[in-house]
Amino acid sequence: MFKKSLLLFIIITLVSCHATKSPIVTTKKAASKNNAYSSRTKKNSKSRNEVIESTSRTVVTNDIVSNYVLEYKDIAMSNMKTYGIPASIILAQGILESGAGRGDLAVSANNHFGIKCHSDWTGDSVRHDDDARQECFRKYDKVAESFRDHALFLTGKGRYSSLFELDKDDYQAWAKGLRKAGYATDPKYPEKLISYIERYNLAQYDAQVLGIKYRPIENQNTRSIAVSSRNESYYEVQKGDTLYSISKKYNMMVDDLKRKNKLTDNTLYIGQKLKVN
């Protein structure tokens, strides 16, 4: 009986020793899918999903794009003053090239403009699939360094010299000029930049630097929910509204809307009444 028990124990031990955990394999496609799912589930129903095609496919919401603009607008305006590149163009390129800061290169290398290593790059780098497999891209310690390198890249390359002859408030000419100079191979690149500039009123930051009055793009779907006795107009927040969408309806800047209503973040709730005049 003892021998049988001992034999059974030995067999069980041998089986346990040979049992191993199955390896976990991740791929770029699977990771992108998981990131997209995470982006969708972390945001509530007020936000609208948008797919940004840069060096990676990224799913973001309009709130994420708005927050990206608010986070980096000061850097963009500072670079406009120093290097002469419109802040609207800088921000639009950052949104598109980095997936509003959520793309693979932005996360792993703080590279917000998809700038590749090239022969003159001596800094850190990462490998990433783009036009070809495992291409070399620049890596930065801080996002601000990526914004500065973007400015130096444009000002230091002769093929972009014609851009700096354009008016600083003519973002459409700059967007088309970038494509013509070979910054991107996508034939729709100018239209994409212009779309972000107009949808998120990025030209307001050009106006601030140039000291000129900014007129937001008009939206005909404006509606006031209530008007007080002091002729102050209010808007009642509906499902799906964001600070950006409301600012567009009333031809306001997001910063002005937040300041007028003493808002410290971008959180809204249905039924909330916002002062809009």
Side-chain angles (χ1 to χ4, degrees):
M1 181 68 179
F2 174 77
K3 290 183 177 180
K4 290 183 178 180
S5 298
L6 179 59
L7 180 60
L8 180 60
F9 174 79
I10 292 172
I11 293 172
I12 292 174
T13 301
L14 289 173
V15 171
S16 299
C17 289
H18 286 285
T20 59
K21 185 181 289 186
S22 299
I24 298 174
V25 179
T26 60
T27 64
K28 180 180 177 181
K29 182 177 181 180
S32 298
K33 183 177 180 180
N34 289 336
N35 288 339
Y37 177 77
S38 177
S39 297
R40 289 195 298 270
T41 55
K42 285 182 180 179
K43 292 293 177 180
N44 57 34
S45 59
K46 294 181 182 180
S47 300
R48 177 174 55 82
N49 284 349
E50 175 172 347
V51 177
I52 297 179
E53 295 278 3
S54 54
T55 52
S56 59
R57 182 180 175 88
T58 310
V59 179
V60 299
T61 63
N62 49 5
D63 278 348
I64 289 175
V65 178
S66 295
N67 288 336
Y68 181 90
V69 172
L70 293 177
E71 184 171 1
Y72 297 115
K73 63 182 177 63
D74 291 334
I75 295 177
M77 287 191 288
S78 176
N79 281 7
M80 179 177 178
K81 294 175 184 176
T82 303
Y83 301 102
I85 305 165
S88 60
I89 288 292
I90 296 171
L91 289 168
Q93 284 193 280
I95 292 169
L96 181 57
E97 300 290 348
S98 76
R102 300 300 180 94
D104 293 342
L105 279 177
V107 173
S108 65
N110 286 324
N111 188 331
H112 282 228
F113 296 92
I115 299 180
K116 297 178 182 179
C117 294
H118 303 292
S119 59
D120 59 346
W121 178 248
T122 59
D124 292 335
S125 63
V126 295
R127 295 286 173 174
H128 183 77
D129 292 349
D130 191 36
D131 296 326
R133 286 182 54 81
Q134 295 299 289
E135 291 189 86
C136 183
F137 285 85
R138 302 182 183 189
K139 181 178 181 180
Y140 307 95
D141 291 331
K142 299 178 181 178
V143 174
E145 294 175 4
S146 176
F147 274 75
R148 179 176 178 272
D149 201 30
H150 165 262
L152 293 176
F153 183 80
L154 292 183
T155 56
K157 301 289 184 181
R159 61 177 174 169
Y160 299 117
S161 59
S162 60
L163 292 172
F164 296 90
E165 299 175 3
L166 302 172
D167 291 337
K168 299 298 183 289
D169 59 349
D170 191 350
Y171 60 81
Q172 292 191 7
W174 274 79
K176 295 172 183 176
L178 280 166
R179 168 73 176 90
K180 185 177 180 180
Y183 189 95
T185 57
D186 182 359
K188 294 184 178 179
Y189 192 77
E191 287 79 3
K192 290 178 180 179
L193 294 183
I194 292 169
S195 173
Y196 282 118
I197 291 170
E198 295 182 347
R199 285 162 54 198
Y200 291 91
N201 281 318
L202 303 184
Q204 64 180 287
Y205 305 115
D206 299 339
Q208 287 185 40
V209 173
L210 296 172
I212 60 178
K213 186 175 181 179
Y214 172 69
R215 290 183 173 83
I217 297 174
E218 295 183 1
N219 188 309
Q220 301 300 320
N221 298 322
T222 302
R223 65 188 182 110
S224 293
I225 301 301
V227 179
S228 73
S229 59
R230 294 182 298 172
N231 293 323
E232 293 179 336
S233 298
Y234 289 83
Y235 175 80
E236 184 175 329
V237 176
Q238 309 294 305
K239 182 178 180 180
D241 282 337
T242 65
L243 285 175
Y244 168 71
S245 66
I246 296 171
S247 69
K248 285 273 287 183
K249 289 179 181 179
Y250 291 93
N251 294 332
M252 301 175 65
M253 292 186 288
V254 172
D255 288 349
D256 289 340
L257 182 61
K258 292 178 69 173
R259 183 167 50 253
K260 191 179 290 289
N261 290 278
K262 298 180 179 180
L263 302 176
T264 58
D265 55 35
N266 295 335
T267 304
L268 297 176
Y269 58 88
I270 297 174
Q272 181 179 6
K273 288 182 173 59
L274 298 177
K275 190 184 298 184
V276 292
N277 74 339

